[in-house]
Amino acid sequence: MLRQIFTENDIDSLFNKACAGKYELKDRYLVSQLAYVPLSLTEHNLLRLHQLISDKGEVYRKWVLPAAFSRNKKVRIIEVPEVYCQALEQYLDWYEQQQDLPVEYRHNLGTHRGFSQKAPALLNDRLTAFAMSERTVKKGINKQPTNLRTKVNTLLKKAGIDWATAKTFEDSLVIHLAKNTEHGEVADLFGYSSRQVVADKYNGNLLQLSEAINNVYSRIKVTGY
C-alpha cells in the first residue's frame, strides 16, 4: 500500500497556517509532540507531564513510558530530539500560567513545576484532557482517542493537508527513522510486535518513490544502435 508522509513543508504549514489565535502555542506543541515523539495516538492521548519532566521541572531527553500507557503493555524508553525539548519548555511556561486548569492538575509541592500526576501532556480547548471514547467490542470495551483525532484532523484541514490523517504523524516518523536506523530498533521504540511492521511501512513508501522514478524515466525515448 502506498503511503504519503509528511515533509518539512507540511509540518511548517501546520505550524504557520493551522496554529493561530488564543491557543496557538498549545496547538503548536500538539503538532510538535505528534511529529517528534514515537507514540500511537492513544499513547499521545494518555501521556502525562510527569513522564516528560523531572521532579525539578527539567525536561527529559529520554524518558520512560509506563506499561499501563504502552501499546504493547511493556515499559518503553522514549528518546526525543532537542527541537521537541525546546517546544516542550515553551509549552510548560504557557501551561503554568493558565488560570482555568482543573484544580486536580496542580499541587502545592515544590516538585514537577507544581503539576500533579493527573496533569495531561495534551490539553483540549477547554484546558482539560482529551476524553477517550468507549466502544463495545467482542472482547469487552475498546477505548479510542476520538476527540484528539478530531482535533488533529481539524488542524490538518486548516493547513490544507487534506490527504493526511492523525495516523500520518506516526507513519511519517516511522519511515523517516527507518531510513537511517535498524528496523528492529524502530519497532522496539514504537512498541510494535515485530520489525516487519516497520518494514511494511518503509517498503510501502519506497514503492511510492519507485513509481515516481518510473514515471520520470518513462518519458525518455530509448533508441538502439
Side-chain angles (χ1 to χ4, degrees):
M1 181 177 67
L2 301 183
R3 295 178 187 274
Q4 282 186 279
I5 61 173
F6 290 132
T7 64
E8 290 184 0
N9 288 338
D10 294 325
I11 300 301
D12 282 342
S13 291
L14 280 162
F15 282 139
N16 298 323
K17 296 180 180 179
C19 302
K22 181 179 180 181
Y23 294 128
E24 175 182 353
L25 202 152
K26 177 179 69 65
D27 290 345
R28 288 178 68 88
Y29 173 74
L30 168 58
V31 173
S32 295
Q33 185 175 306
L34 293 173
Y36 298 121
V37 182
L39 303 176
S40 69
L41 194 65
T42 296
E43 291 169 339
H44 281 295
N45 201 87
L46 297 175
L47 198 62
R48 297 292 182 263
L49 289 183
H50 272 226
Q51 270 79 62
L52 308 178
I53 58 177
S54 70
D55 58 355
K56 296 180 180 179
E58 298 169 340
V59 171
Y60 289 131
R61 282 291 303 273
K62 186 181 292 188
W63 41 271
V64 176
L65 182 70
F69 292 176
S70 179
R71 80 191 326 151
N72 60 357
K73 304 304 179 184
K74 296 180 181 179
V75 169
R76 301 210 318 266
I77 304 300
I78 306 296
E79 187 170 355
V80 294
E82 181 61 30
V83 63
Y84 165 75
C85 293
Q86 293 172 3
L88 176 56
E89 288 172 350
Q90 294 176 358
Y91 176 61
L92 289 172
D93 290 340
W94 173 88
Y95 204 135
E96 282 184 289
Q97 297 170 14
Q98 302 311 301
Q99 302 301 313
D100 297 329
L101 291 176
V103 293
E104 61 265 29
Y105 292 177
R106 300 187 189 274
H107 59 54
N108 57 5
L109 305 176
T111 62
H112 294 91
R113 299 181 67 150
F115 295 119
S116 75
Q117 292 185 355
K118 294 183 178 181
L122 300 177
L123 293 170
N124 61 32
D125 289 347
R126 298 184 301 278
L127 301 186
T128 60
F130 286 95
M132 296 284 282
S133 301
E134 293 187 352
R135 182 166 59 92
T136 302
V137 294
K138 290 183 179 180
K139 295 183 179 180
I141 301 296
N142 178 266
K143 293 186 176 182
Q144 293 290 328
T146 304
N147 292 343
L148 177 57
R149 184 179 292 112
T150 298
K151 172 66 176 181
V152 175
N153 288 338
T154 297
L155 293 176
L156 289 168
K157 185 176 181 180
K158 287 182 178 179
I161 310 176
D162 296 333
W163 54 266
T165 68
K167 188 69 165 56
T168 308
F169 284 96
E170 181 181 342
D171 288 343
S172 296
L173 186 54
V174 168
I175 291 167
H176 285 308
L177 291 175
K179 290 177 182 177
N180 299 301
T181 308
E182 206 279 324
H183 288 188
E185 292 184 3
V186 179
D188 291 341
L189 185 64
F190 280 86
Y192 293 144
S193 58
S194 74
R195 59 178 293 160
Q196 189 62 44
V197 178
V198 175
D200 289 345
K201 292 179 184 291
Y202 185 65
N203 291 335
N205 183 249
L206 291 179
L207 179 60
Q208 183 181 14
L209 295 176
S210 176
E211 287 196 350
I213 291 173
N214 285 333
N215 287 338
V216 171
Y217 289 114
S218 66
R219 294 177 296 177
I220 298 175
K221 188 174 181 179
V222 178
T223 58
Y225 292 96

